Amino acid sequence: GISFVQGLSVLKGLKIVAVDTLRAIAFRFAPNYIPVAVALDARAGGIYAALYDIVGKPSPIIESNVFGLTDLAYKLSSRDKILFVGNETIYNKMLSEVNGTSLIYAGEPKPSAGMVAKLAIFEVNSGRFLEPELLEPKYLRQFKAGKRKRKPIL
């Protein structure tokens, strides 16, 4: 995906805009006075998440990043209400960790090509383009060596 876009951009001289998947998911609930938290399983104990104000276009309250459960729960605590979009297992874990905030479960995330397109058009109209070498997924983390999953061949 990303390598293809980078190659096409360099080969044809096309400009690139980036649209955050979590923002596109949150946009599906706009307009809404209740902030929207979007949380996806980032594997290895991480949660790819963000919190958005969606009264107008989705504006980040907490920028998208990979969080641990405790850190994300702390960041979502002490708010009135939050519409929570994400994996039900993550939601259930968050219920016992978040303090002073009412989490309202809105179901599994369903990205929409239409919402991605609307956000991409906004980025184009705002002139926010990326150089091909700067395009990368936000959910990537530093490599951590672990146990080998396969036995050596020899």
Side-chain angles (χ1 to χ4, degrees), residues 7-59:
L8 193 60
S9 172
V10 170
L11 183 67
K12 297 288 189 178
L14 302 173
K15 295 181 179 181
I16 298 173
V17 294
V19 174
D20 189 324
T21 302
L22 301 182
R23 189 173 176 210
I25 291 169
F27 199 17
R28 292 185 65 143
F29 296 90
N32 197 331
Y33 71 94
I34 301 173
V36 174
V38 183
L40 305 175
D41 185 357
R43 309 277 185 232
I47 301 169
Y48 180 47
L51 180 65
Y52 295 95
D53 173 351
I54 56 167
V55 173
K57 67 175 181 61
S59 303

Side-chain angles (χ1 to χ4, degrees), residues 113-143:
M115 295 303 153
V116 172
K118 284 181 182 179
L119 290 170
I121 290 168
F122 177 77
E123 295 297 312
V124 168
N125 291 338
S126 299
R128 288 194 283 259
F129 298 101
L130 286 177
E131 295 299 321
E133 62 273 10
L134 298 178
L135 183 64
E136 64 179 32
K138 283 188 173 185
Y139 55 84
L140 289 182
R141 294 175 286 175
Q142 293 293 329
F143 173 74

Side-chain angles (χ1 to χ4, degrees), residues 55-76:
V55 173
K57 67 175 181 61
S59 303
I61 297 169
I62 299 172
E63 291 282 347
S64 60
N65 204 343
V66 176
F67 300 94
L69 179 69
T70 305
D71 186 33
L72 180 59
Y74 175 77
K75 290 180 182 298
L76 296 180

Side-chain angles (χ1 to χ4, degrees), residues 69-74 77 92-99:
L69 179 69
T70 305
D71 186 33
L72 180 59
Y74 175 77
S77 291
N92 289 329
K93 289 178 182 177
M94 293 299 294
L95 281 176
S96 62
E97 296 284 330
V98 172
N99 295 313

